[in-house]
Amino acid sequence: MKVLSMIQPWASLFVLREAKYETRTWRTNYRGQLAIHTSKKIDKAVCNHVAIQALLGKHGYTKENLPTGMIIAVCRLENCLMVTENNQTSSILEDGRIVSGNDYFLGDFQVGGFAWEVQDMQILDEFIPAKGKLGLWEYNL
């Protein structure tokens, strides 16, 4: 299965569906099953932001108990859309879709970047320890 590694708290916010999109600087043509892996790194400065603390807290998480170095969920990658416009409070994707609110706040919607859209997010009952890699990588699930 293809796997995408993400830094915390972004990985958990994405898996918990607080963020609709995962933003990347690169496009992928891959579509299909995708596992979400949390890297060992936690962005502590982001975790100290009051809004991030509130979103994580809704699900019982703090920066101290975020899972790291684990595959935590599986989903299906449906779309990879280029960001064509950024208005500092919202963005427009190549299909004309407008991204605003928390979806905008929780991503990096630079023009020329990409918003990855997934469906059927399923958090695993038991997280799987794994060493992450850059880009999309393979893991036998």
Side-chain angles (χ1 to χ4, degrees):
M1 178 177 281
K2 298 276 187 208
V3 183
L4 181 66
S5 292
M6 299 172 64
I7 294 171
Q8 289 285 33
W10 307 117
S12 286
L13 291 169
F14 184 59
V15 164
L16 295 166
R17 304 315 286 148
E18 293 294 341
K20 183 175 181 178
Y21 303 100
E22 165 57 5
T23 51
R24 295 279 155 159
T25 58
W26 49 279
R27 177 187 299 274
T28 182
N29 292 321
Y30 174 76
R31 300 293 181 272
Q33 288 299 112
L34 181 68
I36 305 298
H37 173 266
T38 61
S39 68
K40 292 272 187 188
K41 182 178 178 184
I42 295 177
D43 189 329
K44 291 194 166 103
V46 169
C47 287
N48 288 331
H49 191 287
V50 67
I52 299 296
Q53 289 175 347
L55 290 172
L56 289 171
K58 283 173 37 180
H59 304 278
Y61 285 110
T62 66
K63 67 182 173 191
E64 287 79 25
N65 69 355
L66 286 170
T68 59
M70 307 265 199
I71 295 173
I72 63 169
V74 293
C75 58
R76 190 177 68 253
L77 181 58
E78 289 286 316
N79 231 331
C80 182
L81 301 164
M82 182 183 282
V83 178
T84 57
E85 193 174 320
N86 185 319
N87 304 308
Q88 305 309 314
T89 57
S90 66
S91 282
I92 299 175
L93 304 180
E94 65 182 288
D95 65 354
R97 198 177 318 187
I98 297 171
V99 180
S100 61
N102 271 359
D103 289 327
Y104 178 82
F105 171 68
L106 295 172
D108 180 9
F109 290 89
Q110 296 299 314
V111 172
F114 298 92
W116 293 29
E117 182 181 30
V118 303
Q119 299 293 328
D120 302 326
M121 185 69 74
Q122 298 175 346
I123 298 173
L124 299 178
D125 291 332
E126 291 186 35
F127 299 163
I128 302 167
K131 184 175 180 179
K133 299 177 186 171
L134 294 176
L136 286 176
W137 49 282
E138 291 287 335
Y139 188 89
N140 288 329
L141 266 182

